[in-house]
Amino acid sequence: MQGARHIEKGEKNTEMITEKSIKSEVLTIETLTETDVHDVVRLSNLLERGYAESEIRMILQAGNLLGHRSGEGTIVSTAAILPYQGNLASLGVVMVDYRYRRRGLATRLVQTCMDIVPEYSVMLVATDEGKPLYEKLGFRTVDTLHRMIAGEYQYQRPAHLQMQYTQFCSIDEQDLPELLKLDQEAFGADRSKFLNLRLRQAKYTSILRNHAGRCTGYALAVPTPELLVIGPVVAPDSRLAFLLIDDIARRYQGKIQINIPSVHQDLIRFLMRCGFKLARIAPVMMSGVYRMPPRNHLFAVSDRSYG
């Protein structure tokens, strides 16, 4: 048979010993630090999860990143919890090395993350394989998130969407108090620390002002090695949310990703006319309470780990 090879005496035993030694390892949960960033990214690449170093560093600053380390010293599992003021937290970066699965590592990590914020409702965006685990831990599906990707943005702004009383400009430091207040109303919790960090990462920003000069919406866009992620996007309605996205997308040449809650079907249809395609629909799950805070003005989330 092509590709078959003779296994020398003792070789199979070595492979069995290696597998046995992995299964017998006693692993404890650790709080990860800056020195672990490269190893976490290595695990992310292994699992094709796409986390960049900048994202992991931001999570370390905004919340808690936990994990298990193998006997060889490499990170083999992770989970992060980001608490926001207002008794709401986001769970993400749940990863387990293939060789260490079915040992309960993810269950223990998620439970430990939840124990850090015992009085909080915890939200997450689940993968299909992770959903049963979260259901066992008391999470319930409360929404879905539409991941949209454009290989190339096709500018097609409908004429009726351009409104005379709107103006767009980049976000300045003086805009922060107004922007943070607007975001808290749209998101349902105060995430000032996270947004300040996200603004530093952002390559493109756009703020929407009405005729009186008041901030009524904003959008951020953060680059990764593979694409540009637009989010969060906060706006009074879907038409103005589209204009914010358009203001950023027209400035970028390359692949763009945006994550939109299912309630905003009008915005999804707008974007599909401009080259975006649906890549995935993922369940949004919560523990503690089984409904999302009202989020009529949150048109795109930052990314899967941040809520």
Side-chain angles (χ1 to χ4, degrees), residues 123 142-143 187 284-286 289-295 298 307:
M123 60 189 307
V142 294
D143 196 5
F187 184 78
V284 179
M285 308 184 78
M286 288 194 74
V289 296
Y290 299 130
R291 65 177 181 177
M292 293 286 286
R295 288 183 164 185
L298 182 67

Side-chain angles (χ1 to χ4, degrees), residues 22 92 98 119 134 151 213 258 283:
I22 287 175
Y98 296 115
E119 303 300 322
Y134 301 127
I258 188 165

Side-chain angles (χ1 to χ4, degrees), residues 32 40 49 51 55-56 59 63-67 77-84 89-96 106 109-110 113-114 122-127 134 139 285 303-307:
L32 305 184
V40 174
R49 297 291 294 276
Y51 288 106
E55 287 184 273
I56 302 303
I59 287 168
N64 298 274
L65 181 62
L66 309 178
S77 70
T78 61
I81 190 78
L82 282 75
Y84 304 123
S90 182
L91 178 74
V93 202
V94 180
M95 302 188 292
V96 180
L109 279 172
V110 171
C113 284
M114 294 173 67
V122 178
M123 60 189 307
L124 60 87
V125 179
T127 60
Y134 301 127
F139 287 84
M285 308 184 78
D303 205 357
R304 58 193 182 274
S305 298
Y306 313 124

Side-chain angles (χ1 to χ4, degrees), residues 220-235:
L220 307 180
V222 174
T224 74
E226 293 82 25
L227 44 72
L228 183 75
V229 179
I230 297 180
V233 176
V234 172

Side-chain angles (χ1 to χ4, degrees), residues 53-300:
E53 288 187 16
S54 57
E55 287 184 273
I56 302 303
R57 288 196 170 91
M58 192 189 73
I59 287 168
L60 287 170
Q61 295 178 69
N64 298 274
L65 181 62
L66 309 178
H68 291 93
R69 195 184 307 274
S70 73
E72 297 176 348
T74 58
I75 303 301
V76 297
S77 70
T78 61
I81 190 78
L82 282 75
Y84 304 123
Q85 294 181 38
N87 292 347
L88 182 64
S90 182
L91 178 74
V93 202
V94 180
M95 302 188 292
V96 180
D97 187 311
Y98 296 115
R99 299 171 301 163
Y100 288 81
R101 292 186 175 180
R102 302 188 184 280
R103 295 184 54 181
L105 301 188
T107 300
R108 294 198 292 274
L109 279 172
V110 171
Q111 187 61 63
T112 303
C113 284
M114 294 173 67
D115 291 343
I116 292 173
V117 288
E119 303 300 322
Y120 284 50
S121 295
V122 178
M123 60 189 307
L124 60 87
V125 179
T127 60
D128 292 336
E129 62 181 349
K131 187 180 177 184
L133 160 67
Y134 301 127
E135 288 176 336
K136 288 180 182 178
L137 292 171
F139 287 84
R140 296 292 180 268
T141 299
V142 294
D143 196 5
T144 56
L145 196 65
H146 289 61
R147 172 166 293 180
M148 312 290 293
I149 293 180
E152 182 179 354
Y153 182 69
Q154 300 166 15
Y155 170 58
Q156 291 186 14
R157 180 189 294 184
H160 72 280
L161 287 183
Q162 184 61 60
M163 299 182 179
Q164 295 298 317
Y165 67 87
T166 63
Q167 63 180 88
F168 300 91
C169 55
S170 296
I171 296 170
D172 293 324
E173 189 173 343
Q174 64 187 19
D175 298 318
L176 275 177
E178 204 172 4
L179 184 150
L180 294 174
K181 183 175 183 293
L182 187 69
D183 183 82
Q184 183 174 351
E185 293 170 353
F187 184 78
D190 181 353
R191 51 179 183 168
S192 302
K193 184 176 181 180
F194 163 74
L195 273 182
N196 274 285
L197 293 167
R198 194 69 172 170
L199 275 164
R200 292 178 205 168
Q201 287 186 312
K203 181 175 182 178
Y204 302 103
T205 65
S206 185
I207 193 166
L208 171 67
R209 295 192 177 280
N210 61 16
H211 182 69
R214 179 174 170 267
C215 172
T216 59
Y218 81 93
L220 307 180
V222 174
T224 74
E226 293 82 25
L227 44 72
L228 183 75
V229 179
I230 297 180
V233 176
V234 172
D237 57 47
S238 60
R239 296 174 299 170
L240 292 171
F242 174 78
L243 290 177
L244 280 164
I245 295 164
D246 175 75
D247 184 53
I248 287 176
R250 285 187 293 113
R251 293 184 257 162
Y252 182 75
Q253 297 295 319
K255 194 174 181 181
I256 301 175
Q257 174 184 297
I258 188 165
N259 298 283
I260 304 174
S262 63
V263 67
H264 300 305
Q265 292 296 317
D266 285 347
L267 180 58
I268 291 171
R269 285 190 287 271
F270 277 141
L271 294 177
M272 292 184 79
R273 296 174 195 157
C274 298
F276 280 87
K277 295 182 179 179
L278 180 63
R280 181 171 176 259
I281 298 178
V284 179
M285 308 184 78
M286 288 194 74
S287 72
V289 296
Y290 299 130
R291 65 177 181 177
M292 293 286 286
R295 288 183 164 185
N296 295 330
H297 301 300
L298 182 67
F299 284 87

